[in-house]
């Protein structure tokens, strides 16, 4: 039997992301101060707080609607590169999910793959360029196996950015000086999948895990 979950699970996931970003905002900003504009944590904190607020005011009917709404809110709320990139990720994922009231983990993985491809096209980056894609791409592949595998892959991908030289974004201007620093975008991407795993295990805000999801 394929185990499924609905919009409420996605809403709790995004609330868990907002909580994780709030807790880790200072660390994200510290990482960004080394190789970026020192605003990554503050921008994401503001953006995901706005996402939580709009989803509470306008409860989505479907998983796709939850992510599409979140994506639009991030694009309209967050400045810099992170708003358009994360907004594109979630909006495209939501659009790919369509109007299904219940989805499976496999469907979410497939939809996120579309979202990640959209992020790659928007930023012109690939795995190995020291960006959020270094966490997102392996995480989506891990999600095809399990929520825990997605989390582990994302965290490993973020750590793997430390020895890389940045080839895209503000950090690329530093050249060799970008080596030795963990990418803030990959780090925040890992937070998304940690929150997803916690939500699936019933550790997210306000409620138990997904409806029978594994």
């Amino acid at each position: 039997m394929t185990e499924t979950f609905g919009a409420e699970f996605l809403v709790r996931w995004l609330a868990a992301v907002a909580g994780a970003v709030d807790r880790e905002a200072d660390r994200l900003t510290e990482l960004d101060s080394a190789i970026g504009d020192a605003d990554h944590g503050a921008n994401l904190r503001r953006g995901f707080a706005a996402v939580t607020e709009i989803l509470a005011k306008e409860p989505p009917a479907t998983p796709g609607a939850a992510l599409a709404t979140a994506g639009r809110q991030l694009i309209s709320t967050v400045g810099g590169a992170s708003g358009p990139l994360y907004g594109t990720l979630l909006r495209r994922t939501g659009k790919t999910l369509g109007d299904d009231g219940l989805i499976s983990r496999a469907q979410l993985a497939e939809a996120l793959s579309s979202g990640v491809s959209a992020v790659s096209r928007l930023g012109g980056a690939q795995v190995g360029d020291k960006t959020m894609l270094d966490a997102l791409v392996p995480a989506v592949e891990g999600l095809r196996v399990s929520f825990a595998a997605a989390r582990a892959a994302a965290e490993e991908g973020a750590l793997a950015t430390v020895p890389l030289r940045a080839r895209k974004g503000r950090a690329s201007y530093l050249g060799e000086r970008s080596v030795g620093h963990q990418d803030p975008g990959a780090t925040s991407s890992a937070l998304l999948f940690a929150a997803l795993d916690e939500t699936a295990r019933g550790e997210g805000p306000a409620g138990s895990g997904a409806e029978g999801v594994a």
Side-chain angles (χ1 to χ4, degrees):
M1 184 181 75
T2 300
E3 293 164 312
T4 58
F5 48 95
E8 188 265 347
F9 175 79
L10 277 298
V11 171
R12 287 193 289 110
W13 172 34
L14 293 167
V17 172
V21 166
D22 185 60
R23 292 190 300 271
E24 298 293 330
D26 290 345
R27 177 173 176 250
L28 293 174
T29 293
E30 181 180 354
L31 291 173
D32 197 34
S33 68
I35 58 175
D37 293 325
D39 59 0
H40 191 60
N43 282 345
L44 287 187
R45 173 186 272 159
R46 181 173 66 255
F48 278 100
V51 165
T52 300
E53 182 178 351
I54 194 169
L55 291 177
K57 288 181 179 178
E58 304 172 15
T62 66
L67 296 182
T69 297
R72 288 193 297 270
Q73 189 71 0
L74 288 174
I75 290 170
S76 66
T77 304
V78 182
S82 56
L85 290 169
Y86 274 113
T88 294
L89 173 69
L90 296 181
R91 188 170 64 174
R92 179 59 60 89
T93 299
K95 183 177 180 181
T96 302
L97 287 173
D99 297 327
D100 289 350
L102 293 174
I103 62 170
S104 66
R105 173 172 47 77
Q107 284 177 285
L108 180 58
E110 194 63 34
L112 278 167
S113 180
S114 296
V116 171
S117 294
V119 168
S120 179
R121 289 192 295 273
L122 179 62
Q126 304 292 332
V127 171
D129 287 339
K130 200 182 182 89
T131 71
M132 62 196 296
L133 290 172
D134 290 300
L136 290 177
V137 170
V140 169
E141 289 307 306
L143 188 57
R144 301 184 194 278
V145 178
S146 70
F147 290 107
R151 176 182 190 164
E155 291 172 350
E156 290 169 9
L159 287 173
T161 64
V162 174
L164 297 178
R165 175 178 174 172
R167 301 189 184 281
K168 294 291 178 181
R170 174 69 181 270
S172 65
Y173 303 157
L174 298 176
E176 290 296 334
R177 286 180 294 157
S178 65
V179 173
H181 299 282
Q182 185 165 319
D183 182 68
T187 305
S188 58
S189 294
L191 293 179
L192 261 70
F193 286 90
L196 181 59
D197 179 43
E198 289 166 3
T199 303
R201 289 189 284 115
E203 299 175 10
S208 60
E211 297 87 336
V213 74

